[in-house]
Amino acid sequence: MAHIPTPLLGLGKLSSVAGDVTVATRENVSTAVHTHPTTNYVTVTEGILYLTIHGVEREVRPGEWCIIPAYAEHAERFVEKTSVVVFWIKDQADQSSGRN
């Protein structure tokens, strides 16, 4: 696989009622522990995502998927240049009630 092409990185976030999609390339970045109100499905296209969830760090490599449940505390580390595609799936109850 390969890093995200520049024109796709320029799209930012693509949004719909059901969820959002983001593409990103990151390097030498770590996030603090945080949560999201969405279930996130993440695939790595190049590099390695170091994902800590439930206090356990795992490597997510090119072609692999990981799932981050809604409201799960997690953190990410990107050591080398790493490209990811993230699907932010909104809760079904939020979709039917119009909450986002």
Side-chain angles (χ1 to χ4, degrees), residues 33 50-60 73-76:
V33 174
Y50 297 90
L51 175 67
T52 300
I53 189 165
H54 305 299
V56 177
E57 184 178 79
R58 69 172 274 219
E59 295 179 359
V60 184
E73 289 189 349
H74 65 283
E76 301 122 22

Side-chain angles (χ1 to χ4, degrees), residues 46-87:
E46 188 73 23
I48 301 171
L49 161 62
Y50 297 90
L51 175 67
T52 300
I53 189 165
H54 305 299
V56 177
E57 184 178 79
R58 69 172 274 219
E59 295 179 359
V60 184
R61 296 182 169 274
E64 295 180 342
W65 286 87
C66 63
I67 300 171
I68 305 170
Y71 302 102
E73 289 189 349
H74 65 283
E76 301 122 22
R77 284 192 310 119
F78 303 89
V79 177
E80 64 187 76
K81 186 175 180 182
T82 301
S83 293
V84 296
V85 179
V86 183
F87 295 83

Side-chain angles (χ1 to χ4, degrees), residues 13-22 36-41 67-71 86-100:
K13 183 182 283 190
L14 303 174
S15 298
S16 77
V17 173
D20 304 317
V21 179
T22 55
H36 302 284
T38 54
T39 296
N40 292 6
Y41 293 81
I67 300 171
I68 305 170
Y71 302 102
V86 183
F87 295 83
W88 308 66
I89 307 302
K90 297 175 184 174
D91 182 284
Q92 295 296 320
D94 288 345
Q95 292 177 45
S96 62
S97 70
R99 291 183 294 165
N100 291 316

Side-chain angles (χ1 to χ4, degrees), residues 23 30 72 84:
V23 293
S30 295
V84 296

